[in-house]
Amino acid sequence: MEDMWFLRGGDIFAGLELEKQLFLANSRKYVLQKNEMVFYEGDPGNCCFYLESGLVRIFSIHDSGKEPIFFLRRPGEIFGISEVLDCYPRKASAQAMTPTTLHRMEGTVFNELLQNNYPLAKRIISLLGGRIRYLGDTIRSLMACNVEDRLAKLLIALAYELFSKPESWHNPVTVPVRISQEQLAQLAGTTQPTVSELLKKMQLTGKIRIEKRRITILEPLALLAAIEDACEHD
C-alpha cells in the first residue's frame, strides 16, 4: 500500500498536544454547512485553518466553467499554509463538501507559534514537503495509470479513513462522502461521461456496488492490489 503514503498523515498535531492546545486557544472556531465557502481564489492569504471535522475541497474555477479539484482536506489537516507564511493571495478556492468544523488562525499568530515551537515548525516543513511529493506522484499517476485505475484509486482514497484495522480491508466499505460524478472526474483527471461508464463497468465486474448514489467498495484490498500492479506495469 505504499502508493497511499500520503493518506497516512492523520492529525498534524499527533504527539504535539501542547502545540494543539495553543493553536486551538489562539484560533477561532467556525461551523460551515455543506457547499459553504472557506475562501476564494485571490483572497488575502492572511490565515490558515485546522480541520476538526468534515471534508474540504481545494479547487480552481476556470473561465470555461470547469472546477478542477486539486486536493481534499480531511479532519486533522491544516490547510491554507502555503500562502499564509508570506501572506500571498490565495492560489485556489476552498469549499466545505460536507458539514464542517474548522479553526481559523491569523497568519501573524501562526508565524509566532512556529517561531516559538520548533517541533511544530518541523512538522509543518515535513507536511509541505509531503504535499510536493504528492503532486509529483499525482503527475506520475496521470502518466502511468489508466483512467479506470485512477478512479479506483480515488475511491480507495475517499474511504481510507475507514481502513483503521487490518480486517477492514477484507470487508465491503461504503465511501463516507457523497461526491458527484463531475467531482470524481475532476479528481481523476478525466470527464464525467467517462466516469459514468467506468462506474457501470466496475459494478458489472463486481468491484463496487452503487445504491442511492452511495458507492460501496466490495473487496478493498483486492482492488488496491490490482491497481498497484496495473500502475507498475502500464
Side-chain angles (χ1 to χ4, degrees):
M1 303 174 198
E2 186 59 28
D3 278 355
M4 312 301 283
W5 64 267
F6 52 86
L7 296 171
R8 300 175 187 165
D11 195 325
I12 184 67
F13 291 109
L16 301 176
E17 294 305 318
L18 175 59
E19 287 78 3
K20 183 173 184 176
Q21 291 175 16
L22 288 172
F23 188 99
L24 296 180
N26 290 279
S27 60
R28 184 173 179 181
K29 184 176 181 178
Y30 289 85
V31 177
L32 306 182
Q33 301 303 311
K34 180 180 178 180
N35 295 328
E36 193 169 348
M37 296 298 295
V38 182
F39 55 75
Y40 290 92
E41 186 173 347
D43 282 353
N46 55 6
C47 59
C48 62
F49 302 87
Y50 171 73
L51 187 57
E52 178 180 314
S53 65
L55 187 69
V56 171
R57 68 167 179 154
I58 309 298
F59 70 104
S60 184
I61 302 175
H62 287 182
D63 293 338
S64 64
K66 294 183 178 180
E67 298 181 356
I69 299 174
F70 305 130
F71 303 103
L72 293 179
R73 296 297 177 223
R74 293 177 169 78
E77 290 195 73
I78 283 182
F79 64 96
I81 55 176
S82 59
E83 299 99 347
V84 77
L85 294 176
D86 291 302
C87 202
Y88 288 129
R90 300 292 183 193
K91 298 298 183 182
S93 300
Q95 181 183 37
M97 295 184 68
T98 65
T100 293
T101 300
L102 49 78
H103 300 261
R104 167 180 167 152
M105 175 172 278
E106 296 302 317
T108 53
V109 180
F110 183 63
N111 275 288
E112 184 177 349
L113 181 63
L114 294 182
Q115 290 173 10
N116 295 329
N117 292 273
Y118 173 74
L120 179 59
K122 183 179 179 181
R123 184 73 57 85
I124 293 297
I125 291 170
S126 178
L127 172 67
L128 291 172
R131 289 178 178 174
I132 292 173
R133 283 200 296 146
Y134 167 77
L135 288 173
D137 284 359
T138 299
I139 293 171
R140 283 190 291 273
S141 177
L142 288 171
M143 295 186 293
C145 300
N146 63 41
V147 178
E148 182 176 356
D149 291 329
R150 295 203 305 269
L151 178 59
K153 192 173 182 179
L154 174 59
L155 294 178
I156 291 286
L158 290 171
Y160 201 82
E161 64 190 66
L162 303 178
F163 300 123
S164 58
K165 298 180 180 179
E167 58 267 24
S168 61
W169 284 95
H170 299 277
N171 301 314
V173 171
T174 299
V175 175
V177 60
R178 293 181 184 272
I179 186 167
S180 70
Q181 291 186 2
E182 182 62 33
Q183 290 171 330
L184 286 173
Q186 294 162 4
L187 285 164
T190 185
T191 63
Q192 183 275 325
T194 298
V195 165
S196 179
E197 289 302 314
L198 289 175
L199 290 176
K200 291 177 183 177
K201 178 182 176 181
M202 293 171 74
Q203 280 197 94
L204 290 173
T205 55
K207 295 177 180 177
I208 64 171
R209 181 175 65 242
I210 301 178
E211 295 177 334
K212 298 181 180 179
R213 300 181 65 186
R214 299 302 295 267
I215 300 173
T216 298
I217 305 168
L218 298 178
E219 297 183 29
L221 187 60
L223 180 59
L224 180 59
I227 297 165
E228 293 180 340
D229 182 67
C231 290
E232 286 176 1
H233 293 91
D234 279 354

